[in-house]
Amino acid sequence: MYLITGSNGQLGTELSKLIPDAILADRNELDITNETAVQNFVTQNNIDTIINCAAYTAVDKAEDEEELAYQINVVGPQNLAKTGCKIIHISTDYVFDGQGYKPYHPSDKTAPVSVYGRTKQAGEQAVINNAKIAVVIRTAWLYSAHGNNFVKTMRRLGAERETINVVCDQIGTPTFAGDLAQAIVAILPQLNETTKGIYHYTNEGVCSWYDFANEIMELSNLNCKVCPIPSSAYPTKAKRPFYSVLDKSSIKETFNLSIPHWKESLRKCLKQF
């Protein structure tokens, strides 16, 4: 039996459509930071595989709520990994400092520059160290037709304003949650001891937030002008990685996946609005 934690989030929602018989748990159904509660829940529901989409993702707020972020992003995944279940755990490009200039490989040295990044990096290690069979998937710039995300914000602002400023010096790749969910479903039957490790998944291609915003406006037929600004003109409490393109070669080879380009996936997502 599959358990999807963080089931009300963007990825959890997409996964629940693809695995209709999975047991869904959000924070109201299961407190992953409580080890006894986790063990009891897994036993009572005959869970053998966990897809952990639960996370503390408020990047700026995490700078002031480090203990809460630590509990959800480190203690929670550790408790899930200790159950003995197979586990797919979702992580982030924020484990890197973003000072590189070529796509990050899963084996590259991590150097998070924020509380969020540090807790997610520690969570990855907790999963790898405590689970017998585990796949950690780092992703980036996640969006869908559900929840709060950049695409929905741009569409709302694009309908309200004539111009908008968007940073142009942070480079990465958008990821449609529906594509990541399909990749996870393809990986599930292939989970074994030899696949244990850390992998990267985003859509194909590279862009800045400015490029992404432009494409959203164009495909949404919005006449809002997007103006490029440097990150220095839009200060945030938490530092962001400037370059966080992820190398996806190992996930494609190991699990025989083909990954769509981000522009193609954005079109697909916008049809759901």
Side-chain angles (χ1 to χ4, degrees), residues 15 46 60 64 220 223:
L15 280 164
N46 295 317
D60 290 318
D64 297 320
S220 304
N223 291 322

Side-chain angles (χ1 to χ4, degrees), residues 87 89-90 111 128 132 183 188 220 226 235 239 249 257 271:
I87 183 166
H89 172 70
I90 307 305
I128 294 293
K132 289 189 186 73
L188 284 169
S220 304
V226 183
K239 206 173 164 193
S249 52
L257 299 178
K271 283 180 182 153

Side-chain angles (χ1 to χ4, degrees), residues 131-249:
K132 289 189 186 73
I133 297 175
V135 164
V136 171
I137 301 174
R138 294 179 183 141
T139 190
W141 299 22
L142 203 65
Y143 69 90
S144 71
H146 178 85
N148 298 317
N149 57 67
F150 186 77
V151 173
K152 291 178 87 170
T153 301
M154 288 301 106
R155 281 170 59 88
R156 176 175 55 77
L157 293 176
E160 292 170 1
R161 301 181 187 178
E162 289 182 5
T163 63
I164 183 171
N165 295 335
V166 179
V167 295
C168 62
D169 56 359
Q170 289 176 27
I171 309 296
T173 312
T175 308
F176 174 41
D179 289 343
L180 177 53
Q182 286 186 326
I184 289 168
V185 169
I187 289 167
L188 284 169
Q190 303 182 62
L191 286 177
N192 59 53
E193 285 92 343
T194 65
T195 58
K196 183 176 181 178
I198 298 173
Y199 297 87
H200 289 167
Y201 185 99
T202 63
N203 282 116
E204 295 284 18
V206 177
C207 67
S208 68
W209 288 109
Y210 164 74
D211 300 324
F212 191 22
N214 263 323
E215 193 73 10
I216 294 163
M217 298 304 173
E218 193 175 319
L219 293 178
S220 304
N221 295 316
L222 292 165
N223 291 322
C224 178
K225 182 177 180 348
V226 183
C227 303
I229 59 164
S231 297
S232 57
Y234 186 72
T236 54
K237 189 147 202 170
K239 206 173 164 193
R240 264 85 171 153
F242 280 110
Y243 180 95
S244 63
V245 179
L246 301 178
D247 181 323
K248 299 169 285 290
S249 52

